[in-house]
Amino acid sequence: MTALEAHGLWKYYGDFAALQQVSFEFAAGSCIALLGRNGAGKTTLLRILAGLSQTSEGQVRILGGNPRQPAIRARIGIIGHGIGVYDELSAEENLLTFARLYAIDHPAKAVDHWLERTDLDRVRRGLAREFSRGMRQRLAIARAFIHNPNFLILDEPFTSLDDRAIALLQGLLKDALAQGATVVLSTHQLKEALELASHVLLLNRGKLAFTGTRTADMLVDPGWVYRHYGEPTASASPANGESTAA
Amino acid sequence: MNYLRQVAAIAGKDLRSELRTKEALNASLSFAVVILLLFSFVVDPDSEMLEQMSGGLLWMVFAFSGTLILNRGFAREIPNDCLDALIASPIPGSALFLGKAIANFALIAIIEAICFPVFGILYNLNWTQQLPVLLGVSALATWSMATLGTMFGALTVNMQLRELMLPMLIYPMLIPALMAAMQLTTLLIAGQPIDAEHAIWLRVLIAFDIIFTSLAAVLVETVLVG
């Protein structure tokens, strides 16, 4: 079953075409590493997939429907650039708010489960603004997973995460994939992304440069896909394609 | 049922956040009380003019101080990209709008509940003679401000000069509702019931609320997502 399809996507900001004639299809259960340099159009594409932005031309279907349909949105989990939690609310209040927005059957139970899973149950009544950066990130992860989504959209999810949050997120993504979820993951940290990915989608200046299965070559040499399909001048620099994860 | 829970979740979240920080509430209340105080030095409490302008004065105060609250409605969603998390959730645009409008309504109502007695003391007026009707008229006019402010708050949320743009957009649109509220409040504070001649203003307020609530509920998703 096709979980994600895009046909002839264009997105303009004024005269600037951020996406140009982008088309692809991925089956359910795929983990797609969305790669590309800064300004390639990754975030624009992810915002369209998440239903946060409209296309100028073309069509996107997620799990067989328009991403703006509430029934489809209820099955999508998102981690974007911001953590998407309210500083003035406690961890518990934040999760309870989103559990109610996603119309979860037993919101309090789900909140307890995710506070425990993200190791925030001891500080459940603490305000998010008083949390450390790592705790806030774990709260954001709990917020994105609280409704057990079967389609995940993650924009630079590993950036500025501490090792504990990276391990938590990787574990959750592996669990979600094992249960048949589809994951779209944009990142500059190629090593982490390619280890999880079953497919790769490379954007270059708004155009689709490569789409296909993640191969063993890419795992051995994470910069391989950039050198073969990316911008010729930039790909000459080894640093451009290498993982930045330390 | 889920729809109502979603509306309540949005309203509850906004009210809890605001009552915890009191950011907009304190600014709005201080502003309203200062204007009432300053005007009390200008107007003679025993004059006939005071009776004639009481409604106008009160609703100008509520309109100006209310904007400070309305500005925070969607601006509260900007830190941490909370607006994206909200738009990405399966909540219908109309539920998001209603939740925010209810929270704005409640916060402006708090300001009004404090300002009416302050007005009565400073201007030596017995404003409670037609209290139930006055409360009804205030509720209708406050809902007008809340709906229009919430709708235009969604429109201006991504603008850099949103604090300036919001009042510039809503005041002209709000004129019919404000005029109706001023006429009726003046009448009710003077202790007179709403007669046939003034009933038209009540109908204006009701029609305004119905039209703008419906329009905003339908349009808010387009405004937020495009």
Side-chain angles (χ1 to χ4, degrees), chain B residues 26-60:
Chain B
N26 282 345
S28 177
L29 185 60
S30 320
F31 185 67
V33 171
V34 165
I35 298 181
L36 284 176
L37 186 67
L38 290 178
F39 267 86
S40 74
F41 296 129
V42 177
V43 183
D44 177 5
D46 300 323
S47 72
E48 203 177 289
M49 191 179 83
L50 175 62
E51 269 193 11
Q52 288 169 0
M53 64 173 281
S54 58
L57 172 62
L58 275 169
W59 283 102
M60 289 318 288

Side-chain angles (χ1 to χ4, degrees), chain B residues 20-101:
Chain B
R20 214 159 259 168
T21 60
K22 297 186 185 66
E23 207 175 310
L25 214 49
N26 282 345
S28 177
L29 185 60
S30 320
F31 185 67
V33 171
V34 165
I35 298 181
L36 284 176
L37 186 67
L38 290 178
F39 267 86
S40 74
F41 296 129
V42 177
V43 183
D44 177 5
D46 300 323
S47 72
E48 203 177 289
M49 191 179 83
L50 175 62
E51 269 193 11
Q52 288 169 0
M53 64 173 281
S54 58
L57 172 62
L58 275 169
W59 283 102
M60 289 318 288
V61 168
F62 296 153
F64 286 132
S65 58
T67 316
L68 298 173
I69 285 171
L70 296 171
N71 252 324
R72 285 291 300 152
F74 271 95
R76 193 174 286 119
E77 307 296 339
I78 294 173
N80 301 337
D81 287 346
C82 289
L83 188 58
D84 282 353
L86 270 192
I87 298 172
S89 75
I91 179 172
S94 59
L96 174 60
F97 160 75
L98 279 178
K100 288 212 160 278

Side-chain angles (χ1 to χ4, degrees), chain B residues 80-129:
Chain B
N80 301 337
D81 287 346
C82 289
L83 188 58
D84 282 353
L86 270 192
I87 298 172
S89 75
I91 179 172
S94 59
L96 174 60
F97 160 75
L98 279 178
K100 288 212 160 278
I102 288 169
N104 283 335
F105 173 86
L107 293 169
I108 298 172
I110 291 173
I111 302 295
E112 290 172 3
I114 297 169
C115 283
F116 268 118
V118 170
F119 171 77
I121 293 164
L122 289 176
Y123 296 84
N124 197 24
L125 271 177
N126 178 13
W127 56 278
T128 56
Q129 297 170 78

Side-chain angles (χ1 to χ4, degrees), chain A residues 47 50-54 68 70-71 73-74 76 78 80-90 93 97-98 100-103 127 129 136 143, chain B residues 2 5-7 9-10 12-14 16-17 20-21 23 76-77 79-93 221 224-226:
Chain A
R47 288 184 66 80
L52 299 174
S53 176
Q54 298 278 21
R68 282 311 299 161
R73 266 148 55 193
I76 299 177
I78 293 168
H81 283 177
I83 56 174
V85 296
Y86 295 93
D87 286 338
E88 303 311 328
L89 299 185
S90 68
E93 288 165 347
T97 299
F98 282 97
R100 286 179 180 143
L101 294 182
Y102 279 90
L127 298 184
R129 69 159 185 242
R136 286 158 64 83
R143 193 260 308 150
Chain B
N2 275 340
R5 281 201 195 109
Q6 289 171 322
V7 171
I10 295 290
K13 162 193 84 63
D14 276 10
R16 195 169 284 131
S17 293
R20 214 159 259 168
T21 60
E23 207 175 310
R76 193 174 286 119
E77 307 296 339
N80 301 337
D81 287 346
C82 289
L83 188 58
D84 282 353
L86 270 192
I87 298 172
S89 75
I91 179 172
E221 190 144 338
L224 287 171
V225 182

